[in-house]
Amino acid sequence: MKKIDTSRRLKAFPPYLFAEIDRQKSILRKKKIDFIDISIGDPDIPAPKAVIEALAKAAKVKVNQKYALDQGKSALRAAIKNWSKKRFSVNLNQDTEILPLIGSKEGLIHFPLAFVNQGEYVITPSPGYPGYKSAARFINAKIYDLALLEENAFLPQLSKIPLSVRNKAKLMYLNYPHNPTTALAPKKFLEELVSFCSKYGIILAYDNAYSEVYFNQKPLSILQIKGAKEIALEFHSLSKTFCMTGFRIGWAAGNANFIKALLKVKANIDSGIFGAVQEAAITALKTQEKYVSNLRKILKDRRDYFVKNLKAAGFKGIHSDSTFYVWTRIPKEFKTSIDFSTYLLTKKSIVATPGVGFGKHGEGFIRFALTVDKSSLKKVFQKLK
Ligand SMILES: Cc1ncc(COP(=O)(O)O)c(C=O)c1O
């Protein structure tokens, strides 16, 4: 039979970072090696009980077993509107400015299909969530790596983006609280960002998946910034806020034309979000404020413990301002982040994520995810001795 090849587009994709880590984990499993997995942002803590009950109850209702309306239930959009008002004092029109998603990744990755033409630039943070680059690759867009450097508190220097890129850029992804560096964006920077994007007509896809995973400083919504609704779409996720990663639900909010265009893309791709999952999300948004503040307490305790012990173990350049990650420089004796993560995996049975996996500016760092309990975190330091 004639050989059937994958597309040139797909061939150009590097292995998806977490798929590669998964492959390494399955090798450890096959060898029956007990390992500690602090590589991926998938919390160990169960989703709220009331949310699971709402899901189970709603699964029995016939209407939820049918194709869901592509714009999401009106009650869900109302819950998102009220949550956004309460949390950020942002006013949204639930019919035109909110779109529920099958997880924020789904929306983030489909969004450029609505606006970016082949050969135009998509600006992506480096280091940053790998999905943004995948989105650009799917549509043969050009990628401009926006460096987020430690000396700039992991905020980009917009003035360094060449004019040729600014003029041909259609979309910029940014994400604060930032995965993987844990950095937060101050209001002044967000104002600068909105005015930059407005000036050059660059759509801002602002990924706020970690808006509720903070310790001291409360993260902002881009929609709190004057003029943002003209140029931005903000993406939210229930995955991290309510430990609902497997449920697959999030939303986009902001500019009505962007929402309309994303809905048109989605209407041609998916057939809505399982109605029972939408009901679960309504329960989460309406009733689980206490769960989220308790989650923050648990994560803060883990973070304080982990950072204290990293310092004691001699690590330098430790960052842990928000999210449930710790981003730190690799020890001097290792040349690259892959060398260090391979050492951790093969010699210490610890799975962590090499910084370079998030983009070339992540080289020299490693990311630990505090998504295991404290006793497992204790074992990390016993193993590191
Ligand atoms: C920065 C960032 N954005 C988006 C996502 C996707 O989240 P979900 O699709 O589960 O909503 C993740 C997941 O790890 C993330 O780290």
Side-chain angles (χ1 to χ4, degrees):
M1 196 181 114
K2 193 173 162 222
K3 188 172 174 260
I4 299 175
D5 226 353
T6 52
S7 63
R8 282 189 292 279
R9 181 187 301 115
L10 198 63
K11 267 205 204 95
F13 271 60
Y16 192 70
L17 174 63
F18 294 106
E20 181 55 24
I21 292 173
D22 262 352
R23 198 184 61 80
Q24 293 176 350
K25 283 191 274 196
S26 66
I27 295 173
L28 289 180
R29 267 185 218 111
K30 265 190 203 137
K31 288 187 183 164
K32 299 216 164 16
I33 296 173
D34 199 20
F35 61 89
I36 298 171
D37 184 6
I38 43 174
S39 65
I40 190 160
D42 198 350
D44 56 315
I45 297 159
K49 212 167 150 243
V51 168
I52 298 164
E53 281 164 6
L55 174 78
K57 191 172 160 212
K60 293 180 190 152
V61 178
K62 181 63 199 165
V63 70
N64 290 327
Q65 296 163 6
K66 301 182 112 180
Y67 287 127
L69 279 176
D70 50 9
Q71 209 187 332
K73 294 191 183 204
S74 157
L76 174 57
R77 284 179 281 114
I80 292 168
K81 175 192 158 91
N82 294 336
W83 184 90
S84 305
K85 174 81 182 159
K86 192 166 176 200
R87 169 67 176 86
F88 298 116
S89 305
V90 164
N91 291 312
L92 293 166
N93 179 319
Q94 71 174 71
D95 295 325
T96 57
E97 294 179 332
I98 293 173
L99 181 61
L101 303 167
I102 310 171
S104 65
K105 183 181 187 182
E106 179 265 307
L108 284 161
I109 292 186
H110 285 144
F111 186 41
L113 276 173
F115 287 98
V116 184
N117 298 303
Q118 182 172 347
E120 291 176 333
Y121 273 100
V122 171
I123 300 174
T124 60
S126 170
Y129 181 60
Y132 313 141
K133 280 203 178 76
S134 308
R137 287 193 182 105
F138 274 130
I139 52 169
N140 298 323
K142 287 186 181 159
I143 295 170
Y144 179 80
D145 259 334
L146 190 57
L148 308 185
L149 306 176
E150 191 179 31
E151 63 256 37
N152 302 324
F154 301 110
L155 296 172
Q157 290 177 291
L158 300 174
S159 60
K160 293 226 163 132
I161 301 175
L163 254 182
S164 57
V165 173
R166 296 180 199 189
N167 291 332
K168 269 189 115 181
K170 209 53 172 300
L171 182 83
M172 184 193 300
Y173 285 105
L174 274 183
N175 148 242
Y176 293 97
H178 184 235
N179 172 18
T181 69
T182 82
L184 288 150
K187 190 165 184 209
K188 197 164 167 286
F189 167 73
L190 295 181
E191 285 167 349
E192 187 197 336
L193 180 63
V194 167
S195 93
F196 179 89
C197 288
S198 303
K199 181 170 175 193
Y200 293 97
I202 302 171
I203 297 170
L204 177 61
Y206 193 80
D207 178 356
N208 215 341
Y210 295 89
S211 70
E212 304 316 298
V213 192
Y214 60 86
F215 306 110
N216 304 320
Q217 214 180 313
K218 238 179 173 176
L220 298 168
S221 160
I222 196 73
L223 302 175
Q224 287 172 292
I225 307 300
K226 203 164 163 256
K229 255 199 205 171
E230 269 90 78
I231 202 70
L233 204 54
E234 178 157 286
F235 291 81
H236 279 272
S237 172
L238 280 87
S239 292
K240 321 289 174 172
T241 306
F242 302 103
C243 301
M244 289 168 65
T245 48
F247 286 62
R248 309 312 303 133
I249 188 149
W251 73 87
N255 182 286
N257 287 331
F258 300 168
I259 290 282
K260 199 169 155 195
L262 179 55
L263 176 59
K264 188 171 173 187
V265 170
K266 281 173 57 59
N268 283 280
I269 293 177
D270 65 67
S271 302
I273 307 162
F274 180 26
V277 169
Q278 296 193 48
E279 292 295 338
I282 294 169
T283 300
L285 290 166
K286 278 178 138 173
T287 69
Q288 295 304 308
E289 209 175 325
K290 254 208 187 119
Y291 171 94
V292 183
S293 56
N294 192 42
L295 176 68
R296 276 192 289 269
K297 274 190 203 130
I298 297 170
L299 294 174
K300 184 179 182 306
D301 182 51
R302 288 180 186 180
R303 177 200 68 159
D304 292 348
Y305 173 81
F306 199 80
V307 168
K308 190 174 109 200
N309 282 278
L310 270 186
K311 279 186 186 155
F315 280 79
K316 300 274 185 294
I318 304 169
H319 302 275
S320 61
D321 290 339
S322 66
T323 73
F324 40 58
Y325 304 113
V326 174
W327 180 248
T328 181
R329 287 207 167 272
I330 59 171
K332 276 214 177 80
E333 54 272 36
F334 295 89
K335 257 200 180 140
T336 68
S337 56
I338 299 234
D339 287 349
F340 184 51
S341 64
T342 306
Y343 163 81
L344 288 178
L345 188 84
T346 54
K347 303 280 191 256
K348 303 288 180 185
S349 313
I350 297 168
V351 190
T353 313
V356 74
F358 298 97
K360 64 178 183 226
H361 300 93
E363 186 52 282
F365 287 87
I366 190 127
R367 190 194 77 176
F368 299 110
L370 307 183
T371 45
V372 295
D373 64 13
K374 217 162 150 193
S375 70
S376 301
L377 294 180
K378 273 185 189 154
K379 280 192 208 147
V380 168
F381 294 101
Q382 285 159 6
K383 282 173 182 280
L384 277 179
K385 267 184 194 150

